[in-house]
Amino acid sequence: MAAFPNLNSDSGLKKLDEHLLTRSYITGYQASKDDITVFAALAKPPTSQYVNASRWYNHIDALLRISGVSAEGSGVIVEGSAPITEEAVATPPAADSKDAAADEEDDDDVDLFGEETEEEKKAAEERAASVKASTKKKESGKSSVLIDIKPWDDETDMKKLEEAVRSIQMEGLFWGASKLVPVGYGIKKLQIMCTIVDDLVSIDTMIEEQLTVEPINEYVQSCDIVAFNKICKMENASRIVCVHVVWFFFFYIQFPKFL
């Protein structure tokens, strides 16, 4: 059984919004008396600040206007709310029913292409704002990439090489740790990590069109992708710390053994 504090307070609305984050209805998989109980306990529609609650409120409001709600539900408690009558749950609001009857009688006089009233325009704007707030772009997947960047010779200024590499800036690209790794004959390569947003950055394209062309190719002879790993979404901070520890172990301790 779901339970909520006073829904006309910020704390009550926040709890309702969190409850509806992963649910379409208060209880179960269809609109029920529980939804009507909560709906009736709200003195006014939730603002767009409460995205999930606003989306749910508009949906239940539409259902009540069209067909009413008949499912029983599994029970809900709302602090300070009165019980909901059977008539309020099972039938659309009386005012709407009267309006519908009047509309049927005057059907011949309806101008289907007439201008919207101020109330209709306001309602449409509120619906559009609610939809926009509830359809925020989901975060794209991310990947962690380890790149080897080789200079032309032992006289290449590696500090300027790294500055040139890091000068590449674009949305979804984040440069990370780096180090110089001996190759032989006094030559060192730059080994650098970066994190990318998969939908925004292509590592292959960045290498072909930016890292190995002018003016950066004055320092860079070639680039190789050493490791490419997808970053999974983590539910808690301890797992994220674990991932960083694994990367640190590989990058600074294990990987040099294979060079």
Side-chain angles (χ1 to χ4, degrees):
M1 177 181 289
F4 301 97
N6 187 341
L7 291 176
N8 295 307
S9 66
D10 288 339
S11 60
L13 284 171
K14 184 177 180 182
K15 184 167 183 181
L16 175 62
D17 193 65
E18 291 173 350
H19 180 80
L20 291 166
L21 177 62
T22 57
R23 299 174 176 86
S24 297
Y25 302 102
I26 299 300
T27 58
Y29 299 98
Q30 61 179 324
S32 67
K33 294 180 181 179
D34 297 340
D35 293 278
I36 308 306
T37 299
V38 177
F39 183 89
L42 290 164
K44 59 182 179 179
T47 64
S48 59
Q49 175 186 353
Y50 304 102
V51 175
N52 305 302
S54 178
R55 177 257 307 159
W56 166 86
Y57 184 95
N58 291 333
H59 178 57
I60 298 303
D61 183 48
L63 285 179
L64 287 176
R65 292 177 183 276
I66 297 170
S67 60
V69 175
S70 58
E72 287 296 324
S74 56
V76 64
I77 297 174
V78 180
E79 182 182 311
S81 68
I84 303 301
T85 64
E86 189 71 23
E87 181 182 357
V89 173
T91 61
D96 287 349
S97 298
K98 291 178 181 179
D99 290 342
D103 288 343
E104 288 179 4
E105 292 175 1
D106 300 333
D107 187 56
D108 293 337
D109 298 328
V110 173
D111 182 5
L112 297 178
F113 301 97
E115 294 184 0
E116 289 183 324
T117 65
E118 289 299 322
E119 292 182 357
E120 290 173 336
K121 288 181 179 179
K122 185 177 180 181
E125 290 173 359
E126 290 177 353
R127 286 195 298 272
S130 177
V131 170
K132 183 177 179 181
S134 63
T135 55
K136 293 180 179 179
K137 183 178 179 182
K138 293 182 179 179
E139 184 179 358
S140 172
K142 294 181 180 180
S143 299
S144 182
V145 188
L146 180 62
I147 307 174
D148 270 357
I149 302 175
K150 299 173 184 176
W152 287 103
D153 51 40
D154 60 340
E155 295 182 358
T156 302
D157 189 327
M158 297 303 291
K159 183 176 180 180
K160 289 185 177 180
L161 182 149
E162 182 171 355
E163 289 176 354
V165 171
R166 290 184 183 273
S167 70
I168 298 175
Q169 298 292 327
M170 65 181 74
E171 185 180 1
L173 172 65
F174 310 94
W175 294 108
S178 65
K179 67 176 182 177
L180 296 178
V181 179
V183 177
Y185 303 101
I187 300 175
K188 294 182 179 180
K189 64 182 178 182
L190 175 68
Q191 204 167 77
I192 189 168
M193 291 179 62
C194 67
T195 300
I196 62 170
V197 176
D198 297 332
D199 288 347
L200 300 177
V201 180
S202 166
I203 285 294
D204 291 332
T205 301
M206 183 179 73
I207 290 175
E208 292 176 6
E209 298 182 0
Q210 299 193 60
L211 280 174
T212 54
V213 299
E214 294 182 352
I216 298 179
N217 65 353
E218 177 183 349
Y219 308 103
V220 176
Q221 184 219 20
S222 63
C223 300
D224 296 304
I225 298 174
V226 179
F228 193 109
N229 295 287
K230 292 286 185 182
I231 299 176
C232 298
K233 289 186 177 180
M234 299 299 177
E235 293 296 331
N236 53 64
S238 62
R239 291 184 180 180
I240 297 176
V241 171
C242 179
V243 170
H244 283 287
V245 170
V246 171
W247 262 112
F248 179 85
F249 180 76
F250 174 78
F251 190 66
Y252 289 101
I253 300 176
Q254 288 294 100
F255 189 76
K257 296 179 181 180
F258 300 102
L259 300 177

